[in-house]
Amino acid sequence: MVVILKENPNEKQLENLKNWLTSLGLEIHISNGAHQTILGLVGDTSVVDIDLIKALDIVEEVKRIQEPFKNANRKFHPQDTVIEVGGVKLGGGNFQFIAGPCSVETEEQICYVAQAVKEAGAGILRGGAFKPRTSPYSFQGLGADGIRLLLEAKEKTGLPIITEIMDLGQLKYFDDVDIIQVGARNMQNFELLKELGHLRKPVLIKRGMSATLQELLMSAEYVMAGGNDQVILCERGIRTFETYTRNTLDLSAVPVLKSMSHLPVVIDPSHATGKSTLVRSMALAAAAAGADGLMIEVHNDPQHAWCDGPQSITPEAFAALVKDVKSILPFCRYSYE
Amino acid sequence: MVVILKENPNEKQLENLKNWLTSLGLEIHISNGAHQTILGLVGDTSVVDIDLIKALDIVEEVKRIQEPFKNANRKFHPQDTVIEVGGVKLGGGNFQFIAGPCSVETEEQICYVAQAVKEAGAGILRGGAFKPRTSPYSFQGLGADGIRLLLEAKEKTGLPIITEIMDLGQLKYFDDVDIIQVGARNMQNFELLKELGHLRKPVLIKRGMSATLQELLMSAEYVMAGGNDQVILCERGIRTFETYTRNTLDLSAVPVLKSMSHLPVVIDPSHATGKSTLVRSMALAAAAAGADGLMIEVHNDPQHAWCDGPQSITPEAFAALVKDVKSILPFCRYSYE
Amino acid sequence: MVVILKENPNEKQLENLKNWLTSLGLEIHISNGAHQTILGLVGDTSVVDIDLIKALDIVEEVKRIQEPFKNANRKFHPQDTVIEVGGVKLGGGNFQFIAGPCSVETEEQICYVAQAVKEAGAGILRGGAFKPRTSPYSFQGLGADGIRLLLEAKEKTGLPIITEIMDLGQLKYFDDVDIIQVGARNMQNFELLKELGHLRKPVLIKRGMSATLQELLMSAEYVMAGGNDQVILCERGIRTFETYTRNTLDLSAVPVLKSMSHLPVVIDPSHATGKSTLVRSMALAAAAAGADGLMIEVHNDPQHAWCDGPQSITPEAFAALVKDVKSILPFCRYSYE
Amino acid sequence: MVVILKENPNEKQLENLKNWLTSLGLEIHISNGAHQTILGLVGDTSVVDIDLIKALDIVEEVKRIQEPFKNANRKFHPQDTVIEVGGVKLGGGNFQFIAGPCSVETEEQICYVAQAVKEAGAGILRGGAFKPRTSPYSFQGLGADGIRLLLEAKEKTGLPIITEIMDLGQLKYFDDVDIIQVGARNMQNFELLKELGHLRKPVLIKRGMSATLQELLMSAEYVMAGGNDQVILCERGIRTFETYTRNTLDLSAVPVLKSMSHLPVVIDPSHATGKSTLVRSMALAAAAAGADGLMIEVHNDPQHAWCDGPQSITPEAFAALVKDVKSILPFCRYSYE
């Protein structure tokens, strides 16, 4: 961390600042220029609240050099984290397909789709039970019943399941859920993250619509600081000025996150684009970019299903996509360790 | 709502769609062009999930004409909502100053600031007890103790208080809090909003960093749908590409929200800009734009307080600001009813 | 400027870097930490291309401390710049109203509006002759004829005029134009800016839709580097995710620009919002924020004019706005010198 | 186009509107609801200025259904456009690599890099002669001399060349340039686009930093409306809130542009990310997404070249990238015709 002081700083305030920084265990290197004095701070600067220093009258500017996250940082943990659920691996060279319907509707539906995506090559089943909806008047999901139906599909197919939690009060229903998903709108629900840090179960965190990559890693850090180091990062599109697609899928998040962190990175092209016609293209691109997995909405029967979003693809389209992704993976290898 | 069909739509699917729309209580007006058929839907279209219709093979495009919010809509409730707490009014021509420190630190600090802002003209005391922090290693606020200290300041000064809730589990500490604040990061924490809808106590909702004005109104609608119609809207800056200010204060939110809704609109220039030197300018601008109130961070002693953010101003600067705002208000009247 | 080196930098490369920096006239202060070496550069760092340094293998990060603009910088020129055209002053405490129609249509129209806005209190007449249009099939303005009509209105009313240039080839028509406007889409048309730098005539530069405030100041610097120091800055809304307004008016640009630069700052609420109903509110807010002037679209007869945009207001509404702005100005004083 | 009227519209104004629309050659279909009247306009609505209609007192809202571009529209021209220069094809299934240095520096440098990228598989040579720079104090490129050097490299290697034009005054130097590039900052320099429409030479248009995909297509339409139908579209990153990468590469632009238009789409991962370490990942992703080509910065000798940006890769890295891209292309086929 570098602190640039204003010209002729008040001596007493400078002394106070230096004492405080030293008390935090930091070493201070002073560089006196003709017009400017610069303090270089060496040590664990993740404990420093950068805003507090900026607030001081004698400070012109503060620049962070080290990243403020530790557990999620590849510098301190070079090897890729590998997540393992129900015999299925994700990360560290293990590419994984997570697929299923937007919402769980009926036992018949979820079991049918689960079987279909398993045959097509999916290793993990997704399905929404608690649904975050912008409008209080929209269908809010089947809730606990939805999780029960997912567990039936898990039993029938053997696929581990992932589903979203929206509030700590729902945690009691997640005992047999294999991966807990934190949605984009809850990425900075810090109380929820803290509690999930006390579990010993994988947590997939979706990037908030306007969250920077560093903020996503800080949210992962919340979970990991509690002792749970099984975190999966998921990019699902950010909010920009472009409105043709629902969000703008930021695929550069893949190489950036993987160089900054050892955690696996999954891409959700369905929610990012909001259009089924764009899913194949963005799924192949994500795999080519070096993602560790894909999360894709697959529905059973578009002619009768009112509840499938416009971003869902058919089991047939999903099977073709899996085949092509597997074909390109050998040519898209990266090394970050 | 207008549904534009693709050319030569499948007859059976069109019949299904029309039956479904009719079953929702909507009237359908069909306009047959040479190449395109348009369905005009008349009735309460807030019940329609626009994404479900877009997903249909026969549909080219769907355009919403009516707003999807009802309780918050000025069309159905022309008169300004007035919030009243502890003898203090906000909205409907009653301009109000909400002021106090970023974080509650000690009894001495909060009582000193409370007294100072009261004398300067503030009607409501703010102060953070549960603090949402990006980093798990930053100070997380005094929690329940912070609320206790706020209540002491309330008793001493008579000022009603507002403070932020981060999770439903904290609700038990808010019995004597006058206004509950929902922070920007929780604007779409729908479970929290639903529960606050069951209270009969004012709720101030801060606009999410990347939330549209309609989404903010939908979050207000969540609270109001539960029967709690005492909602205050707060603009506190949105995330854009500009990084000189912490966020970009969107002051056009004031006339837009007030024309769309009857709810009072408050501006927080402190968090929006993140710089104390910009607070006076943006506060005056907010008042000129027609806001119903201001929420401003005021600290006691910048030389000894490590915890005040760089966006706080002194009690003296706050007093001068209150005076100037009051001087311009008579020239900045708007009528939306 | 601060250059942070990677651990154990190559000695020869470091020597090269230091020699190059010294050759640019910079003084180098080296701070050796346990793990990191920091170079503090003192001198005129505006000559340094920051990207070139970032590209070096031995460099971890480069942080600019000084602003890269000089002529536009308030640090080197504390007094407010005052623009004077046709006896009218703008800046340095002189608030000015620039008003007129979106497009010049007919002699009758422009002379009528010119007279009306003059009576209402405008000091400068605006009107579009060369119109930048997104579509090649839209009306492109009257061109040179439009400027001729503006000059007639100038003669009749005595108002100095401002109109937009789109290409250097049009410069020959601007001899008698008092202020040349560079539109948002041309803010980084550097060849145009360079040429305008050779004139001795005021240039108003509109902020590009996605330009940072520093980039706007760098564009002003292009004009000033050529010797023309009569530059006016204009904020007209930036592009964000919010689509209710055409753009998002960034009023914090006013205090930020005025603290960074001595150049006058004008706000265009008409183009920013794209809605006539929002103009009064944003105009009052701009004045309250400390702007030096307003640029407002005023049309004559909305019932017969096809060409006035939805953001134009009537002469009567403009007159009322002028009156209210003048009433609040005395309470909205700021000192940046 | 659908025009939604306000309740109880003024009869005379409605009559005026209908007459005007009919005079533009449009057919009007009226749908009378209980509370709302909707006009459906059938015909060539690209001639209609949507803002003019929105401005009318009787109009609540206008929604465009057809795209406002014609020549660039795939609906009216289903077959892929193929660009051919110097025996090299781009588009319609012909994937092409465009490579070369950021700036042309010396004859030796450009000829060396040209030979290297040719051997690695590039079909077209790029190199900056006129350089758009944010600062007037930065190196502005070699200008006409730079083009002369590029032509020497062309003669030696046989590679066709592409370089950027910044102003119409530079057009005289472009006689032997094979493809003229319009930079992101000039995407809406409409006078320049119009003039390039009179040439019969390919024009590559880079998407502006905050331009929507439709706006990019409208800029292509400007060139095509002049009779020049050899246009290449280039995505090079958009400006968002994320600052880790220089811009955010929007790869969904590929399938979206290719479905809306028959023009070839090229991706520039170097400028988008601004970091050489991200180029390979984003290049592979672009190819997987269905792009028609890549534009990549390649430098010769990073240890001695001060002028190569941090986003350049070595000829060796480029050669490896070409090999991997060619391997995945057969699995990444899309059909838009």
Side-chain angles (χ1 to χ4, degrees), chain B residues 56-271:
Chain B
L56 297 175
D57 273 358
I58 57 171
V59 171
E60 169 97 23
E61 186 64 279
V62 185
K63 308 275 190 185
R64 196 181 275 284
I65 294 164
Q66 287 179 346
E67 295 92 351
F69 50 97
K70 288 183 288 191
N71 290 293
N73 203 323
R74 195 181 276 276
K75 277 187 194 149
F76 309 129
H77 183 307
Q79 286 82 20
D80 283 343
T81 283
V82 179
I83 302 292
E84 191 164 355
V85 279
V88 167
K89 285 182 183 174
L90 171 67
N94 304 284
F95 193 92
Q96 202 50 254
F97 295 89
I98 305 170
C102 178
S103 293
V104 179
E105 294 168 43
T106 62
E107 188 184 331
E108 193 191 359
Q109 172 242 19
I110 187 66
C111 290
Y112 175 86
V113 177
Q115 194 58 39
V117 299
K118 186 186 179 183
E119 282 163 22
I124 301 170
L125 175 66
R126 57 145 289 155
F130 295 101
K131 302 289 300 172
R133 304 303 305 268
T134 309
S135 166
Y137 311 121
S138 295
F139 173 55
Q140 310 271 321
L142 293 183
D145 279 345
I147 293 189
R148 196 177 44 75
L149 296 180
L150 272 173
L151 291 173
E152 288 188 29
K154 174 184 175 178
E155 201 175 297
K156 284 196 180 144
T157 59
L159 289 177
I161 61 172
I162 176 172
T163 193
E164 179 169 351
I165 192 170
M166 286 175 62
D167 186 79
L168 278 177
Q170 300 161 350
L171 192 52
K172 56 189 173 225
Y173 305 116
F174 283 72
D175 282 352
D176 298 316
V177 170
D178 299 280
I179 307 177
I180 301 180
Q181 175 177 321
V182 175
R185 292 180 177 80
N186 271 320
M187 192 201 88
Q188 293 195 321
N189 184 333
F190 299 122
E191 295 304 309
L192 178 60
L193 296 173
K194 274 185 214 169
E195 200 61 32
L196 297 179
H198 299 137
L199 304 183
R200 291 298 171 270
K201 176 178 286 199
V203 175
L204 179 143
I205 307 178
K206 287 198 158 184
R207 181 185 186 184
M209 275 196 301
S210 65
T212 63
L213 295 173
Q214 180 169 302
E215 285 169 344
L216 172 58
L217 289 168
M218 291 309 289
S219 288
E221 191 77 13
Y222 256 97
V223 176
M224 300 175 88
N228 185 355
D229 52 13
Q230 300 182 66
V231 177
I232 304 166
L233 306 171
C234 180
E235 156 69 23
R236 42 77 72 211
I238 57 174
R239 191 161 262 189
T240 70
F241 60 84
E242 176 64 69
T243 55
Y244 189 89
T245 44
R246 186 197 291 158
N247 290 116
T248 298
L249 185 63
D250 176 11
L251 282 178
S252 60
V254 175
V256 171
L257 287 173
K258 291 200 66 72
S259 64
M260 292 167 89
S261 175
H262 50 87
L263 298 172
V265 177
V266 161
I267 297 292
D268 178 347
S270 306
H271 281 87

Side-chain angles (χ1 to χ4, degrees), chain A residues 153-219:
Chain A
K154 174 185 175 177
E155 200 175 299
K156 284 196 180 144
T157 59
L159 289 177
I161 60 172
I162 176 173
T163 193
E164 179 169 351
I165 192 171
M166 285 175 63
D167 185 79
L168 279 178
Q170 299 160 351
L171 193 52
K172 57 187 171 226
Y173 305 116
F174 282 72
D175 283 351
D176 298 317
V177 169
D178 298 281
I179 306 176
I180 301 182
Q181 175 177 322
V182 175
R185 291 179 179 80
N186 272 321
M187 191 200 88
Q188 293 194 321
N189 185 332
F190 300 120
E191 296 303 310
L192 179 60
L193 296 172
K194 274 184 214 170
E195 199 62 32
L196 298 179
H198 299 138
L199 304 183
R200 292 297 171 270
K201 177 178 284 199
V203 175
L204 180 144
I205 307 178
K206 288 197 160 185
R207 180 184 185 184
M209 276 195 301
S210 65
T212 63
L213 294 173
Q214 181 170 302
E215 287 169 341
L216 173 58
L217 289 168
M218 290 308 290
S219 289

Side-chain angles (χ1 to χ4, degrees), chain C residues 13 49 52 57 71 133 135 137 140 185 188-190 194 210 215 218 221-222 239 303 306, chain D residues 13 49 52 57 71 133 135 137 140 185 188-189 194 210 215 218 221-222 239 303 306:
Chain C
Q13 290 182 44
D49 191 335
L52 298 194
D57 272 359
N71 291 292
R133 304 302 304 268
S135 166
Y137 311 121
Q140 310 270 321
R185 291 179 179 81
Q188 293 195 320
N189 184 333
F190 300 120
K194 274 185 214 170
S210 65
E215 286 169 342
M218 290 310 289
E221 191 77 14
Y222 257 97
R239 190 162 264 188
Q303 299 314 321
W306 279 106
Chain D
Q13 290 183 43
D49 191 336
L52 297 193
D57 272 359
N71 290 293
R133 303 303 304 268
S135 167
Y137 311 121
Q140 310 271 321
R185 291 179 178 81
Q188 293 195 320
N189 184 334
K194 274 185 213 169
S210 65
E215 286 169 342
M218 290 310 288
E221 191 78 14
Y222 257 97
R239 191 162 263 188
Q303 298 315 321
W306 280 106

Side-chain angles (χ1 to χ4, degrees), chain D residues 99-114:
Chain D
C102 178
S103 293
V104 178
E105 293 168 42
T106 62
E107 188 184 331
E108 192 191 358
Q109 171 241 20
I110 187 66
C111 290
Y112 174 86
V113 177

